[in-house]
Amino acid sequence: MSNHLFDAFRDRMPAPGRTLMETDDGRSIRYGDMLARSAQLAQALRHLGVEPGDRVAVQVEKSPECIFLYLACLRAGAVFLPLNTAYTLTELGYFFGDAEPRLVVCDPARAGDIAPLAKTSGAVTATLGSNGEGSLTELAVQQPADFDDMAREPDDLAAILYTSGTTGRSKGAMLSHENLASNARVLAEQWHFTRDDVLIHALPIFHTHGLFVATNVALMAGASMLFEQKFDANRIVSLLPRATVLMGVPTFYTRLLLQQGLDAHAAKNIRLFISGSAPLLSETHKAWRELTGHAILERYGMTETNMNTSNPYEGERRAGTVGFPLPGISLRIADPDSGAALAQGEVGMIEVKGPNVFSGYWRMPEKTKAEFRDGFFITGDLGLIDADGYVHIVGRGKDLIISGGYNIYPKEIESEIDALAGVAESAVIGLAHPDFGEGVTAVVVREPASRITGAEIVDAIAGQLAKYKHPKQVIFVDELPRNTMGKVQKNLLRETYKGLYDR
Ligand code: MCA
Ligand code: AMP
């Protein structure tokens, strides 16, 4: 019997003694350890009543054990549901209610708050701390270190990742074993990954970039990772000589450019720098090339689709573009309204089709239907294909802010702000920000007698929304600009306040 994704990793696994990860606290984890630990955790999941198809919701700090837990879920046939550590209890309550996990795994320090919440959704809770401690590990260490992997077909669910939407409610993107396997395979090939690669992994592991692009690709190649708890620019520079690849969001690169010691010599063992999750400014691409001699390879993807395009490994990595559709993936530019295919060079909606594209939103068949046409997924990104075939992303057809690689939907923040006493209405926009790419900014109209301050607004939403979603600045105005249809003209607001975060 085969387990589609885990077998793909297993088939390419190097000798068990080879290193899979080195952590920043000096631990060295071998491939053989990964097999044993994920087997014990799969046994533990079974003890906790997790059956194939059950969701396992996980909000824990980054650790090798969390990767083992992800792999254990695959092996047990469960559906891994990672959650950003910044999510508040209010946000978690929604995810638990929607996904109805069988098991919730959280940090021991948060268990007092999370366990009762999990219980109301019918889940049991186990704990896993950043050093691997907790009740889940206590149970796992008592288990045998082998496990008969559950049979999983290509279309079976491997993971659900929540992504916010322009209309408020977060949607669970259902990703199958084949969605993840096909993408990891194609990326490992395109980026020439081998067992000799050492990837600096400093991304969080609860989103597509850190979990699937970085970890799955390393596993698919049998490579090893320098596994960092979090991104620390100074430390990354010191790790460069020991690594061959770095993956990051544009904020990694802009922060690294400010570091002492980053130059061609420091980067001489690196064969590839990769960027994604947000637009990499051409000026960052240029500055990086001048300083290190390397052209950053930019690629483009989404939670719903994994990676769609990549600049070439060999050949020109063109700044300001996201490269070519990956092998096996069709990408077209369509008229946003009619869906008619547009000619080369014209700007329209980017739509994609391929084995990477998810099967739909969890328990939202209508929303799923609305986001596909002719078998293509409508990304919400506006772009064009140039005369040489490079895809350019030129804007967004969706009201979205990307801050430091995290996607933030203004509607979610506006709803919270509008509900506050003293606020008449608000518009949340993203403005160019030197560190985060875009800075979340709230433009607020107070009720006539209200004196509510920006700090009070941020305090009031703190319990509701993860910190990275909080406005970096609140601006008060007498009224919001509207068009004749009554729609707030966010483009005018962005124009008015465009220099707000200039250094
Ligand atoms: C932290 N803060 C942020 C962000 N991160 N605010 C806005 N946007 C952010 N991204 C807040 C903190 O809460 C803190 O608030 C203050 O900013 C400064 O924190 P700092 O220590 O500087 O931040 P950090 O811990 O260094 O984090 C910055 C970071 C991190 C390294 C850029 O955000 C990060 O790892 N981003 C990567 C996200 C990612 O993996 N995205 C991929 C999504 P205070 O000072 O008030 O306490 S997957 C995806 O998009 C797809 C599909 C794809 O294509 O890859
Ligand atoms: P997510 O919510 O994490 O699925 O984010 C997906 C979105 O991130 C895409 O729809 C794009 O808007 C954006 N994105 C990802 N990679 C890039 C990139 N290289 N350039 C511009 N935008 C990107």
Side-chain angles (χ1 to χ4, degrees), residues 265-437:
H265 180 73
K268 77 175 192 315
N269 291 337
I270 299 280
R271 64 171 187 85
L272 187 58
F273 289 102
I274 304 174
S275 175
S277 305
L280 182 78
L281 297 179
S282 293
E283 67 200 55
T284 310
H285 192 276
K286 185 162 171 271
W288 193 267
R289 190 167 204 159
E290 279 165 8
L291 200 60
T292 68
H294 285 272
I296 298 174
L297 181 154
E298 185 171 4
R299 59 41 170 198
Y300 155 65
M302 290 184 76
T303 303
E304 289 91 335
T305 64
N306 295 289
M307 299 305 103
N308 297 311
T309 72
S310 171
N311 266 281
Y313 187 78
E314 279 150 353
E316 187 194 352
R317 297 178 196 156
R318 198 169 281 184
T321 82
V322 292
F324 308 113
L326 289 162
I329 296 173
S330 311
L331 182 149
R332 69 178 190 186
I333 307 292
D335 180 281
D337 300 318
S338 70
L342 295 178
Q344 176 262 312
E346 285 190 69
V347 173
M349 181 60 73
I350 300 178
E351 301 185 348
V352 293
K353 185 161 121 176
N356 57 316
V357 177
F358 76 142
S359 51
Y361 295 112
W362 172 255
R363 292 182 180 162
M364 289 186 180
E366 293 307 316
K367 278 216 157 52
T368 303
K369 218 164 125 200
E371 302 211 15
F372 280 88
R373 62 181 152 207
D374 313 328
F376 280 79
F377 175 64
I378 305 168
T379 63
D381 293 311
L382 300 175
L384 62 84
I385 302 179
D386 71 19
D388 299 322
Y390 287 82
V391 177
H392 299 235
I393 298 175
V394 299
R396 296 179 199 136
K398 50 193 173 188
D399 191 13
L400 162 72
I401 299 170
I402 307 184
S403 169
Y406 285 137
N407 286 15
I408 298 161
Y409 281 86
K411 176 93 182 115
E412 197 183 6
I413 306 167
E414 289 160 2
S415 307
E416 294 296 337
I417 296 179
D418 292 352
L420 299 176
V423 170
E425 61 174 344
S426 66
V428 170
I429 54 173
L431 297 174
H433 190 286
D435 187 29
F436 292 123

